[in-house]
Amino acid sequence: MTIAVLAIAAQTPTPPVDKPPFTCIDEEIVVNAPLVDVWHAWTTNDGAQTFFAPKTEIELFPGGSYNILFMPDNPPDQRGAEGQKVLSFLPMQMLSFDWGAPPKFPFARKHPGWVVIQLKAADDAHTHVQLTHLGFDELKAEHPEHAAEFDEVREYFSKAWPHVLGNLKRRFEEGPRFDANGKEVWKTS
């Protein structure tokens, strides 16, 4: 048994020493809502349109759409997160989807990273949400001539995701952000 473990350990590649640290974005929040309600918010059109954007196109199956249209009346490819796909999910636990950059980052927009949402009931009335946005290092390595753009995209999302999670929390404290017609109902503070 010891020999087998040592043989497996010897075959496991070690990462290069000069590789920079993994630069994912990792954000967490506790939401004042039961797990089932938070799962619904991330995985259905009705739910996502209460905090994320006025229009969404979510199909909860691997390869299904995960489009979040912040400006649904704009021309195609200028409406928000378009052409995104569900990568995987574990009901009531985890959702992953690819996620491209905003239009102001044209190269990175065509080369998306991915987001993993993990949910865990803190108790019957509260849910812990962990959002991790990955792919920046891999994309920079694959396209080194665009590394600076991917760094800008990471910086952009390091500010955007806390805002999104704040909107999720606020949705369960104050009610939906958008009405049935996609009009913003929250007052800005």
Side-chain angles (χ1 to χ4, degrees), residues 11 23-24 34 36 54 64 73 75-76 81 83 115 117 124 135 165 179:
Q11 294 173 1
T23 57
C24 66
V36 66
D73 296 330
V115 173
I117 306 294
D124 290 346
L165 291 180
D179 68 17

Side-chain angles (χ1 to χ4, degrees), residues 6 8-9 14 16 18-19 51 68 78 88 91 100 102-103 107 124 126 136 140 145 149 167 178 181 183 188-189:
L6 291 174
I8 291 170
T14 48
D18 62 345
K19 184 173 179 167
F51 81 97
I68 307 298
Q78 300 293 312
S88 64
F107 186 85
D124 290 346
H126 299 87
F136 303 105
K140 285 169 52 175
E145 67 281 10
E149 185 172 330
N167 284 346
F178 303 99
N181 297 316
K183 301 293 181 207
T188 56
S189 42

Side-chain angles (χ1 to χ4, degrees), residues 38-106:
V38 179
W39 175 256
H40 183 264
W42 283 103
T43 61
T44 69
N45 290 307
D46 289 344
Q49 289 169 184
T50 66
F51 81 97
F52 214 159
K55 175 104 172 88
T56 61
E57 299 166 350
I58 297 173
E59 302 169 318
L60 189 58
F61 59 86
S65 295
Y66 201 84
N67 298 320
I68 307 298
L69 308 178
F70 301 103
M71 298 161 289
D73 296 330
N74 279 8
D77 204 38
Q78 300 293 312
R79 300 178 299 165
E82 300 172 80
Q84 309 311 294
K85 300 292 181 193
V86 172
L87 299 174
S88 64
F89 67 94
L90 291 169
M92 307 296 269
Q93 296 177 45
M94 184 276 298
L95 168 68
S96 67
F97 47 88
D98 58 17
W99 194 258
K104 68 181 181 177
F105 304 109

